[in-house]
Amino acid sequence: MSRPNLARRVADAAEIALTTRKYVTFIDVVTGLRWLHSRHVDTWRQGRSATLGELAAVDDARLADAAAALRAWALSRGLRPVETPYLSGSRERRELRFTSTGEQDAFRVHWISPDLSDARVKQLTERQSKAPDLVVVAPLEAWTCATCRDTGPYLIMEDDRPHCLSCADLDHLVFLPSGNAALSRRAKKESVLSAVVVQYNRRRKVYQRQGVLVEEAALARAEEQCLGDEEVRLRRRDRDRERRAEQDLDFQARMAAEIMRLFPACPPERAESVAAHAAQRGSGRVGRTAAAKALDENAITLAVVASIRHLDTGYDRMLMDGVPRMAARDRIRPAIEAKLSELRGRRDT
């Protein structure tokens, strides 16, 4: 990729983040470029990788080029640089490294919109400076503690090696499974020492939260607090559910309208179907990305492509017949391009 092309793609990814949140980070850019998936960032933040570059689809030099392009774009837009720390979720809370060599400062900068108030900037800075939650992993495979050579249901990383909870002085904590947000939040607040428990989901290829480890006395206090205001929280939850449903319907309507603008020959009912599928809350589909929420043309096109892939080609049958996924996508590419032209109102000759 040429430098001008990289600069353009970095600018596109940064514009989406700026539109969505009023500030831009290097992480926003590399995930927007699809050099890294969010699951890779999670692994790095947990301290399970020495550098972010080890998990990226490009080398350290390319990451440095992207950081330089981001800086040039941000300065041209008049954004304010705020250097922020990145600490690992491991026990030693070490400062995270982006690449194996060179200065790390360029990667840590958050580029803030001048429209953001000083109070909001201070809030963002304080939140980023706060040490992250300790992260404990519920492993899927057998493992051995680096200190005592024993094992257990959970491990925590220290010095890039796994340790059991006994050796990490966390074995007095009790497990509170996910499912009750108010109880988990209050138990963590009451507990002097706590840790988030995650487990790797092989199908989705991401670490998912399983619950928290908290002090037993803290959990008891949190349970008493939740019993005292349960009815109030139920009413609030119902109101929040209704509001989210209305927001989703509005977002889907705006996405369907954008599909019709980009693909004027697309039937309205199909545009609505694509938007409803792609933008489903909690699905992880392209419609839930920051780019789609900003109605980015590329993200909207990807949602339409996904629909064509499954409805207008033999892609699903190929997968059933054992054709590798990427090979199947290569085979159907001409059919997808033809259908995109049709939906745009063009007929290729």
Side-chain angles (χ1 to χ4, degrees):
M1 189 190 308
S2 66
R3 286 183 181 273
N5 191 29
L6 175 61
R8 177 184 58 79
R9 292 187 60 201
V10 166
D12 289 344
E15 285 284 1
I16 291 169
L18 186 64
T19 300
T20 306
R21 297 185 308 184
K22 302 298 184 183
Y23 68 95
V24 185
T25 71
F26 176 73
I27 299 296
D28 295 328
V29 168
V30 290
T31 53
L33 292 173
R34 300 192 176 187
W35 289 354
L36 281 162
H37 193 279
S38 59
R39 64 176 180 269
H40 298 135
V41 178
D42 291 341
T43 298
W44 173 65
R45 286 189 179 276
Q46 292 164 14
R48 297 173 63 80
S49 174
T51 70
L52 188 64
E54 290 181 1
L55 306 172
V58 296
D59 58 22
D60 285 357
R62 208 58 176 153
L63 293 178
D65 288 342
L70 172 60
R71 175 182 173 82
W73 171 85
L75 292 176
S76 72
R77 291 293 306 272
L79 303 187
R80 184 179 7 159
V82 176
E83 187 173 333
T84 54
Y86 280 81
L87 303 177
S88 77
S90 57
R91 188 60 180 271
E92 67 269 24
R93 307 290 201 187
R94 73 169 185 273
E95 192 160 294
L96 293 167
R97 291 187 62 84
F98 291 80
T99 57
S100 58
T101 59
E103 290 293 329
Q104 305 293 298
D105 293 349
F107 303 105
R108 298 192 183 104
V109 175
H110 286 198
W111 295 97
I112 311 294
S113 168
D115 298 334
L116 215 58
S117 66
D118 290 340
R120 179 61 175 151
V121 172
K122 181 180 178 181
Q123 184 183 42
L124 290 171
T125 304
E126 289 177 348
R127 185 173 62 188
Q128 182 65 32
S129 301
K130 183 181 177 181
D133 289 326
L134 286 174
V135 178
V136 165
V137 178
L140 298 174
E141 300 176 352
W143 69 281
T144 302
C145 175
T147 301
C148 67
R149 312 310 298 172
D150 202 349
T151 188
Y154 308 112
L155 65 85
I156 185 169
M157 299 298 292
E158 291 185 7
D159 300 321
D160 296 328
R161 297 186 300 169
H163 292 75
C164 68
L165 297 192
S166 295
C167 293
D169 293 329
L170 297 173
D171 56 337
H172 64 294
L173 304 180
V174 296
F175 178 63
L176 172 61
S178 299
N180 188 326
L183 180 59
S184 297
R185 181 176 63 254
R186 287 170 170 172
K188 278 187 62 181
K189 184 178 180 180
E190 290 289 333
S191 190
V192 176
L193 181 63
S194 65
V196 175
V197 178
V198 299
Q199 188 173 60
Y200 189 68
N201 184 317
R202 288 195 176 103
R203 182 177 63 84
R204 299 187 66 181
K205 298 181 179 179
V206 65
Y207 279 94
Q208 294 181 317
R209 183 173 177 143
Q210 303 298 305
V212 292
L213 293 172
V214 294
E215 296 165 347
E216 191 167 4
L219 177 56
R221 291 193 294 271
E223 288 172 336
E224 291 178 2
Q225 294 170 12
C226 287
L227 286 174
D229 62 359
E230 184 175 6
E231 186 177 346
V232 173
R233 288 186 293 106
L234 285 174
R235 290 200 298 268
R236 184 185 302 136
R237 193 178 303 141
D238 289 339
R239 291 196 301 271
D240 290 345
R241 188 183 300 113
E242 293 174 1
R243 185 177 67 254
R244 287 195 299 268
E246 292 172 357
Q247 290 172 343
D248 279 357
L249 289 175
D250 176 67
F251 173 45
Q252 290 173 19
R254 289 188 290 110
M255 180 181 286
E258 184 65 6
I259 291 173
M260 291 295 298
R261 186 185 72 81
L262 296 174
F263 302 93
C266 179
E269 60 274 13
R270 177 157 189 175
E272 293 171 2
S273 176
V274 171
H277 178 77
Q280 182 178 341
R281 185 181 293 271
S283 65
R285 298 180 184 125
V286 66
R288 300 305 303 181
T289 62
K293 291 176 182 177
L295 297 181
D296 173 68
E297 181 174 334
N298 183 57
I300 300 299
T301 301
L302 289 176
V304 175
V305 167
S307 171
I308 295 172
R309 183 183 300 128
H310 295 292
L311 298 181
D312 300 289
T313 74
Y315 179 72
D316 290 352
R317 174 56 58 187
M318 292 180 194
L319 297 185
M320 286 296 293
D321 291 341
V323 178
R325 183 168 60 90
M326 297 312 296
R329 291 194 176 195
D330 286 340
R331 292 186 191 180
I332 65 172
R333 187 168 289 116
I336 287 179
E337 293 298 330
K339 188 66 178 179
L340 286 174
S341 293
E342 178 186 329
L343 294 180
R344 290 186 178 108
R346 301 196 300 266
R347 291 285 185 179
D348 293 337
T349 57

